[in-house]
Amino acid sequence: DAGITQSPRHKVTETGTPVTLRCHQTENHRYMYWYRQDPGHGLRLIHYSYGVKDTDKGEVSDGYSVSRSKTEDFLLTLESATSSQTSVYFCAISQAGELFFGEGSRLTVL
Amino acid sequence: GDSVTQMEGPVTLSEEAFLTINCTYTATGYPSLFWYVQYPGEGLQLLLKATKADDKGSNKGFEATYRKETTSFHLEKGSVQVSDSAVYFCALSDTGANNLFFGTGTRLTVIP
């Protein structure tokens, strides 16, 4: 157990509204990641962080922003949600060259 | 760029059947290779890994051998159980990279 908690676990929202997903870890890991999982695409990296206030874009970063003001929290924000952002979002941490994942946040944008 | 191509599913097998899920990769450096498993309603868990050519990763009766000559990392199990029903993802991490590249996943269903 890598001590990763995602919230909310489920959310339904409407197009154009802002949404923030939170990833919280308890073990001081430096690297944190946000992935989205979609049928036929597997997992794709949205953004990652390598320290407080240090973040970088991944493969599918358009429409998403992130923030990391504390080691333990990595926030993913959709400024104006679209239906194409309906997905399952996974947070992960890196430990000894391996990724450990949270349980996921299912977001539905109507 | 780096990528992983994984056998498409779904795969349905009877209990005790032999399992192979194919995975091939493209990488510019010397990647590490992984198999992750996702049980229903859960996040991904590392199943096994191999960090260099000819290494064999194994766990829970599953095995995969890192074949540089064929750029492959096929997952095998000699006798599957109903509890192995899950989605399996092949992934790679290239030299100096900070993240994993995943295949599209293969859903396995094992029937009694």
Side-chain angles (χ1 to χ4, degrees), chain A residues 11-91:
Chain A
K11 186 171 181 65
V12 179
T13 191
E14 293 189 349
T15 298
T17 60
V19 176
T20 295
L21 305 180
R22 179 184 184 233
C23 179
H24 178 79
Q25 55 127 337
T26 59
E27 299 183 2
N28 261 347
H29 297 291
R30 180 181 173 197
Y31 281 87
M32 299 183 74
Y33 305 81
W34 277 109
Y35 285 86
R36 61 178 287 175
Q37 182 181 19
D38 304 289
H41 292 279
L43 274 76
R44 292 178 292 174
L45 182 66
I46 305 171
H47 283 278
Y48 68 97
S49 170
Y50 46 96
V52 172
K53 297 193 171 135
D54 291 323
T55 65
D56 206 349
K57 295 179 180 180
E59 179 186 359
V60 290
S61 59
D62 287 349
Y64 302 95
S65 62
V66 290
S67 66
R68 191 161 179 207
S69 58
K70 299 184 290 185
T71 299
E72 58 265 36
D73 288 326
F74 191 32
L75 304 181
L76 177 70
T77 297
L78 291 66
E79 299 290 348
S80 177
T82 67
S83 58
S84 64
Q85 293 176 311
T86 292
S87 186
V88 181
Y89 292 85
F90 286 97
C91 175

Side-chain angles (χ1 to χ4, degrees), chain A residues 36-44 59-60 86-88, chain B residues 3-10 38 87-90 102-107:
Chain A
R36 61 178 287 175
Q37 182 181 19
D38 304 289
H41 292 279
L43 274 76
R44 292 178 292 174
E59 179 186 359
V60 290
T86 292
S87 186
V88 181
Chain B
S3 66
V4 174
T5 301
Q6 189 174 339
M7 168 181 166
E8 289 193 18
Q38 184 180 32
V87 182
Y88 293 82
F89 292 91
C90 185
F102 286 87
T104 54
T106 301
R107 181 177 299 278

